[in-house]
Amino acid sequence: RAMGDYPKALEFYQKALAIREKLLGPEHPDTATTCNNIGMLYLDRQKPTEALPWLRRALRVRENVLGPEHPYTKGTREDLEYAENQAASKEEISPESPENRRKQAAEQTDQ
């Protein structure tokens, strides 16, 4: 991530995920770490909507395996909350958001 080659980083994370799922299983903490890393990669690229499913998966595994109070679980929960807020902000300013469509319709009616 630090080098900025996001497509290559995503490719490596996806390969790591496939290996970890095969060797350790989908519910292993190391598998959750890779999911979290993929989610953070999307956040770094300003794509919070794409980050959400990865962070949710990481959080679910970490809560089940490590417990809700584990530092890694708490960190993922914070990352997820941040991604949700970012996704909501993008939705609010998106031209296709329901709020903007209502405003546009009201403006057209006023003309």
Side-chain angles (χ1 to χ4, degrees), residues 34-92:
T34 304
C35 291
N36 195 84
N37 290 344
I38 293 171
M40 294 307 294
L41 181 71
Y42 280 118
L43 272 179
D44 286 349
R45 296 193 69 200
Q46 305 299 310
K47 296 182 176 187
T49 303
E50 287 89 339
L52 292 173
W54 295 103
L55 294 171
R56 287 179 181 138
R57 179 178 172 190
L59 180 61
R60 181 185 49 77
V61 171
R62 286 180 167 171
E63 283 180 335
N64 290 339
V65 177
L66 303 175
E69 298 304 315
H70 191 280
Y72 290 168
T73 305
K74 289 180 177 182
T76 299
R77 189 176 302 114
E78 291 171 5
D79 293 340
L80 177 59
E81 289 171 4
Y82 177 78
E84 289 172 337
N85 288 335
Q86 291 299 306
S89 293
K90 283 185 174 263
E91 168 85 12
E92 289 172 11

